[in-house]
Amino acid sequence: MDEGYANLPTSHLLGSVPAVTPEERKPAGPAEAATSRLQQFPPAPGATGGGYQPPGSPLDGDVETQTNWKGYFNVASYAPYFNVDTDVVVDRLISSVYPMDGFFRKIDANPDMYGPLWITTTLIFMLAAFGNFATYLMQRKTDLNIWNFDVGYFNWAATVMYGYAIVVPAAFFFLFQYFGSRPSLVRFWCMWGYSLFIFIPASILLLIPVEFLRWVIIAGAGGASSWFIALNLKECTEGADMMVLIASASVLQFALALFIKVFFFA
Amino acid sequence: MSQNHGDTIPLNASSAQSDMDEIESLIYAAPSATVLPARPTSPPRASIPVSTSPLPAPAKPPLPASSIPIFVPQAPPASSAAPPASVSVAIASDGFGSAPNTLTEPVWDTVKRDLARIVSNLKLVVFPNPNREDPGKALRDWDLWGPFFFIVFLGLTLSWSASVKKSEVFAVAFAVLAAGAIILTLNVLLLGGHIIFFQSLSLLGYCLFPLDVGALICMLKDSVILKIIVVTVTLAWSSWAAYPFMSAAVNPRRKALALYPVFLMYISVGFLIIAID
């Protein structure tokens, strides 16, 4: 079953366009195939027949070398990471808010990149927009009329959020590998991405112009997020001697929460 | 003697004549052979899934004069498609004097034709009409000039409205819209949907038209309440315009996943319009 996708009969007809395989035919199928396929990132092109398939190369023989680097530029090779439906995504979002909900078990078979991508993008917009709005409300309280929309918030938000969501899981992936455990980069990205979801409702609540309340809210959100990271890291690496790494991951998450409060919602 | 390279095809394997002279003589030898059809409408676009992309003739063996593929095919739609395509079509046909010449027509005619296409696409996409629900018909004659104008206009309007950091505002607006359109299209493709890349870019650009109107109104009249109302109305209009196309492109179980980023992009632009003063 795992080799099913590579051995689709149409894969051997190089130069022809394989038939589009409908998504709803295999509700449980992607789970099994995905387990093996999604260990390495990125997968080779032509891995699945889902949806979009560019025409194969007419040249035979060097398919092997082709798959090594052309997989990076091929849209179809990333399609397995977006193989989720609306209800699946909503379910994962909700379970990311309650740290004890067994999130890692849910994404283990089918980690998706849709969540992290759009959660970070939404968060960027929210931070920039509500950060500006919150600064405006605070300045109105002190009766100053010099508030200007600071478009730099968009740039800062984009840099910080995309940088955090991409670099931190990758760094921890390498650290975990160095210390002997066997993590999976895609699952790390997926998990860290979903851990940022709680900051979206938090940033809405941070509009309240009461300073003490803001600190309480951000501490709550940061704490929940760090706890989520710690629990899921522990579950996926199953190692008791990784405590230092897990602790540092939680601390980093809390530091992000503080940064959000200090920079955007001053 | 020189074999096929790219898009030049030697008609005669060993001829002392240059290729152009050969072709010209062949054309004049068969005067009725129209190299390319006249162009009352745009050249045939790919309105079918991209997987059967019209990779051009260079790989085919040399053909008789009537189908010389000198015409730069629709394969490089990288930049604004319409006028370059029409010019290169015209080069092939006009240089040999037989087909209608879009090269020597007045500039105003070219501009008028492109403007007419923009207007007709706009009417199809943004205003209610019976063909809206059918994505195949809706934007069959897509082009990228319209979206380009709308994005730049929106950036300029926002930049004019801003009191500080004007160039940064333009940069952010332009980047959000342009990169956003590309990412949204990729998002649909990754979710397993079936759309044509540039048709989708074109559609997302045309759906900006209501927001353009809203931004213009907000620039001229500076009251916050009015801005909120205007932006809400135009935002709803833009989303309504983009909805049928996007939702028809993906599996119904993933419809919300494909539509949410579209709303996110339009809402963020709407917010920029309200907040910039």
Side-chain angles (χ1 to χ4, degrees):
Chain A
M1 184 55 171
D2 297 312
E3 294 81 36
Y5 288 113
N7 289 339
L8 277 180
T10 52
S11 309
H12 298 297
L13 305 172
L14 293 171
S16 74
V17 176
V20 169
T21 55
E23 297 297 324
E24 52 270 15
R25 205 168 26 94
K26 30 180 172 45
E32 293 98 75
T35 327
S36 70
R37 180 69 57 192
L38 296 175
Q39 286 304 327
Q40 350 104 320
F41 178 84
T48 71
Y52 181 76
Q53 271 275 3
S57 124
L59 299 170
D60 202 344
D62 52 335
V63 176
E64 193 47 55
T65 52
Q66 268 192 358
T67 60
N68 283 339
W69 63 273
K70 282 202 178 160
Y72 288 94
F73 296 111
N74 196 350
V75 168
S77 64
Y78 295 101
Y81 299 111
F82 283 74
N83 196 12
V84 281
D85 294 332
T86 311
D87 45 353
V88 171
V89 171
V90 170
D91 178 45
R92 291 179 182 186
L93 287 176
I94 294 180
S95 73
S96 78
V97 177
Y98 303 112
M100 291 129 334
D101 214 11
F103 179 81
F104 199 79
R105 265 175 284 123
K106 290 189 191 177
I107 68 163
D108 203 10
N110 186 18
D112 74 303
M113 298 296 281
Y114 178 91
L117 174 65
W118 290 110
I119 291 175
T120 44
T121 311
T122 310
L123 197 54
I124 287 170
F125 160 64
M126 295 253 165
L127 289 180
F130 291 142
N132 268 301
F133 196 33
T135 341
Y136 170 73
L137 289 177
M138 288 300 259
Q139 285 211 336
R140 252 199 5 184
K141 280 179 49 171
T142 64
D143 248 354
L144 290 169
N145 253 341
I146 54 171
W147 179 81
N148 268 310
F149 179 78
D150 187 2
V151 116
Y153 275 27
F154 273 101
N155 299 334
W156 272 107
T159 317
V160 168
M161 295 317 306
Y162 280 139
Y164 185 89
I166 294 176
V167 168
V168 167
F172 274 100
F173 168 72
F174 287 120
L175 281 174
F176 271 99
Q177 267 204 328
Y178 178 75
F179 284 110
S181 161
R182 303 268 234 97
S184 146
L185 184 56
V186 185
R187 285 171 183 73
F188 271 24
W189 270 328
C190 183
M191 183 179 70
W192 249 278
Y194 276 101
S195 79
L196 295 173
F197 173 70
I198 196 171
F199 292 119
I200 294 179
S203 65
I204 300 179
L205 286 177
L206 281 174
L207 284 177
I208 303 173
V210 178
E211 191 66 19
F212 172 71
L213 212 51
R214 282 185 175 184
W215 281 109
V216 167
I217 292 171
I218 200 63
S225 199
S226 315
W227 191 6
F228 173 83
I229 289 278
L231 270 183
N232 282 295
L233 272 183
K234 218 174 353 188
E235 200 178 314
C236 86
T237 58
E238 307 130 2
D241 52 347
M242 306 291 185
M243 264 311 153
V244 176
L245 286 180
I246 296 181
S248 60
S250 317
V251 166
L252 212 56
Q253 192 82 357
F254 200 78
L256 178 74
L258 291 180
F259 175 79
I260 287 177
K261 163 70 180 74
V262 166
F263 190 84
F264 292 102
F265 294 92
Chain B
M1 65 176 179
S2 69
Q3 301 314 311
N4 299 2
H5 297 305
D7 50 359
T8 58
I9 299 184
L11 294 170
N12 229 317
S14 57
S15 163
Q17 272 185 315
S18 80
D19 287 338
M20 293 300 271
D21 293 342
E22 279 184 29
I23 292 161
E24 208 170 330
S25 59
L26 278 166
I27 290 275
Y28 284 121
S32 61
T34 322
V35 176
L36 287 150
R39 193 173 176 271
T41 57
S42 65
R45 301 296 177 126
S47 299
I48 44 178
V50 183
S51 49
T52 64
S53 68
L55 274 188
K60 289 199 274 194
L63 293 173
S66 58
S67 50
I68 294 173
I70 295 178
F71 82 123
V72 178
Q74 300 85 3
S79 56
S80 39
S86 72
V87 169
S88 45
V89 163
I91 287 177
S93 56
D94 181 60
F96 311 118
S98 53
N101 37 5
T102 54
L103 186 61
T104 59
E105 68 180 6
V107 173
W108 174 240
D109 278 359
T110 315
V111 172
K112 207 164 52 171
R113 192 174 50 239
D114 290 325
L115 282 177
R117 188 186 319 128
I118 293 179
V119 169
S120 79
N121 277 339
L122 199 59
K123 280 202 298 231
L124 278 176
V125 169
V126 175
F127 295 103
N129 76 75
N131 278 340
R132 279 196 81 243
E133 303 301 318
D134 180 0
K137 274 208 223 55
L139 210 55
R140 177 148 291 186
D141 200 9
W142 57 265
D143 70 310
L144 290 176
W145 275 123
F148 177 70
F149 282 141
F150 294 145
I151 293 181
V152 169
F153 181 76
L154 191 54
L156 283 176
T157 314
L158 286 174
S159 175
W160 279 322
S161 320
S163 37
V164 295
K165 287 191 179 179
K166 286 175 181 269
S167 51
E168 206 172 319
V169 167
F170 179 86
V172 166
F174 191 89
V176 164
L177 288 168
I182 295 179
I183 294 178
L184 285 173
T185 313
L186 284 178
N187 183 48
V188 171
L189 286 174
L190 284 166
L191 283 172
H194 305 289
I195 52 169
I196 300 160
F197 186 76
F198 287 101
Q199 191 180 20
S200 166
L201 287 189
S202 177
L203 176 109
L204 288 169
Y206 275 111
C207 291
L208 271 185
F209 174 75
L211 283 169
D212 272 358
V213 170
L216 193 59
I217 297 178
C218 290
M219 180 174 81
L220 298 171
K221 201 78 175 64
D222 207 11
S223 115
V224 176
I225 306 288
L226 175 73
K227 279 190 185 181
I228 294 180
I229 296 176
V230 163
V231 165
T232 317
V233 167
T234 52
L235 187 64
W237 187 4
S238 282
S239 312
W240 169 82
Y243 177 85
F245 187 80
M246 280 299 180
S247 66
V250 281
N251 187 338
R253 289 207 310 262
R254 303 181 177 188
K255 209 161 56 166
L257 296 184
L259 285 172
Y260 165 72
V262 179
F263 295 146
L264 179 67
M265 181 172 88
Y266 287 152
I267 288 178
S268 69
V269 172
F271 174 79
L272 270 179
I273 297 176
I274 295 183
I276 300 228
D277 57 351

